[in-house]
Amino acid sequence: MPEPVIVVPDDFPSIFKGTPAEERCAQLGATRVYSERGANDEAELIRRLGGAPAAINIRAHARFTERVFSACSALKMVSIWGTGTDNIDLESAVRHGVTVSNTPGVNANAVAEHTIALMLAVARRIPKIDQEMRTGAWPREMLTQLLGKTLGVFGTGAIGKRVAALGRALGMEVVAWSARGGRVEEGVRAASKDEILRMADVVTLQLRLSPETRGFLAERELSLMKRPSILINTGRGALVERSALLDALSQSWLSAGLDVFHDEPLKADDSILTLPNVVLSPHNAGQTPEVVRDGLLRAVENIQNFLQGRPSDVVVAPQTK
């Protein structure tokens, strides 16, 4: 039996095994899928990758570090399911001659819808009201109307653009900021980071986590925000400084809808669980059958294109001499 051409080292919880994507992957060559916990350990990840030239990265807990790339000299391609690259040492990938691709835009509609769902759930206090009614109460408190409010969108990629469009459909004024100075859509006004924080009733983060965006919102930035206001984060937990976030939430002027966290999964004693002004979801904004199906097939397609000498959806590639 030939050595695996493609390894999926981190299919836990499993979404890849037994899918059309796995069938298509097997057509490219022998495929090895690991659906057991353990890919978060460097040594175990190295063992699973073995001598494979290509890997599909499913979960962010599998960290492709300098040590991993150094030990897996045969590895030439990592295809990420999703858009996040914070678990990949991209500079190390380039040094070791590894091409990294992802699947941009596949989950844009699903994540944008979830972003708006969290925003509405926070503004209308739906989880709190639902819970109180189940105890026999009949809560009639004042709620927040979004029509006429200002939505500040950080990040103007596929997800950010869709969030902006949905916000406008609700009758919100939308202002946006891009790290690269990207063009904003018609009906959306570009603004500086501080300007958005000062004027937005709702701030939403659609940024990729990188060294430049880690701690994007810290104590200084949160101090600029309107009182009261809402923060939605469906990007990455580390985009917001944890201590500053907890402090603002504990003062109750800030409410939040969070799909991402600094430590995932949340521990039972995490203080975020005690705050009544936070709506939580378990990093599942993009978990729809359509996203899973299309994203996995796209990740396999990126492997196929690479093996055929025409890499696609490239995040980084080895420098040509």
Side-chain angles (χ1 to χ4, degrees):
M1 182 176 178
E3 286 295 311
V5 172
I6 303 162
V7 171
V8 184
D10 54 351
D11 186 32
F12 178 85
S14 180
I15 58 168
F16 185 84
K17 201 164 185 61
T19 65
E22 184 184 26
E23 293 178 11
R24 185 173 298 182
C25 205
Q27 295 171 5
L28 302 178
T31 303
R32 187 165 63 206
V33 182
Y34 291 89
S35 297
E36 309 83 25
R37 185 190 297 272
N40 57 317
D41 177 76
E42 275 187 320
E44 177 61 15
L45 179 58
I46 291 168
R47 186 192 73 79
R48 293 182 181 188
L49 291 170
I56 296 178
N57 172 216
I58 303 292
R59 303 296 182 184
H61 59 242
R63 307 194 67 81
F64 288 74
T65 62
E66 167 66 28
R67 180 187 171 197
V68 171
F69 286 123
S70 294
C72 301
S73 58
L75 187 64
K76 298 302 175 187
M77 168 63 171
V78 176
S79 179
I80 302 169
W81 173 64
T83 57
T85 60
D86 48 295
N87 63 311
I88 312 283
D89 187 335
L90 297 178
E91 293 181 0
S92 179
V94 172
R95 285 196 302 272
H96 289 278
V98 179
T99 297
V100 178
S101 69
N102 63 358
T103 57
V106 171
N107 67 347
N109 288 325
V111 175
E113 288 177 13
H114 199 85
T115 298
I116 298 299
L118 285 173
M119 182 171 68
L120 287 166
V122 174
R124 311 299 292 190
R125 303 184 184 180
I126 292 173
K128 177 177 179 290
I129 291 172
D130 175 84
Q131 186 176 39
E132 290 177 358
M133 289 186 66
R134 292 173 189 274
T135 65
W138 192 253
R140 300 281 294 169
E141 57 192 288
M142 297 298 289
L143 307 175
T144 299
Q145 178 173 294
L146 295 177
L147 175 68
K149 299 295 194 301
T150 298
L151 172 63
V153 180
F154 285 102
T156 57
I159 298 172
K161 288 176 181 176
R162 183 60 180 158
V163 168
L166 294 174
R168 290 188 64 215
L170 290 173
M172 302 183 78
E173 177 186 355
V174 181
V175 290
W177 177 92
S178 170
R180 298 179 177 85
R183 184 180 67 86
V184 298
E185 300 297 291
E186 184 178 353
V188 177
R189 183 168 69 85
S192 70
K193 179 179 179 180
D194 286 3
E195 183 181 6
I196 290 175
L197 292 172
R198 289 190 175 100
M199 68 185 300
D201 299 286
V202 181
V203 168
T204 178
L205 299 177
Q206 266 71 57
L207 297 169
R208 183 177 296 173
L209 182 62
S210 68
E212 293 73 30
T213 60
R214 185 175 293 275
F216 182 78
L217 298 185
E219 183 178 359
R220 186 194 76 84
E221 287 79 17
L222 292 178
S223 71
L224 299 177
M225 292 179 68
K226 291 179 70 172
R227 283 152 172 73
S229 57
I230 296 171
L231 173 66
I232 307 297
N233 190 1
T234 55
R236 285 291 188 269
L239 292 170
V240 187
E241 187 179 88
R242 177 176 163 83
S243 60
L245 174 63
L246 291 173
D247 183 58
L249 291 170
S250 66
Q251 294 178 40
S252 298
W253 62 262
L254 181 68
S255 299
L258 306 176
D259 184 56
V260 288
F261 307 91
H262 294 79
D263 295 309
E264 298 181 1
L266 286 175
K267 296 180 176 59
D269 61 350
D270 195 308
S271 54
I272 200 82
L273 297 171
T274 67
L275 298 170
N277 51 335
V278 184
V279 176
L280 309 171
S281 60
H283 201 156
N284 68 341
Q287 293 290 105
T288 70
E290 297 86 354
V291 169
V292 172
R293 178 198 64 212
D294 296 344
L296 291 177
L297 286 170
R298 175 102 158 257
V300 173
E301 181 182 345
N302 286 339
I303 293 279
Q304 180 177 355
N305 290 342
F306 174 81
L307 294 175
Q308 294 176 349
R310 46 186 181 89
S312 51
D313 294 327
V314 173
V315 178
V316 296
Q319 298 177 351
T320 57
K321 297 181 180 180

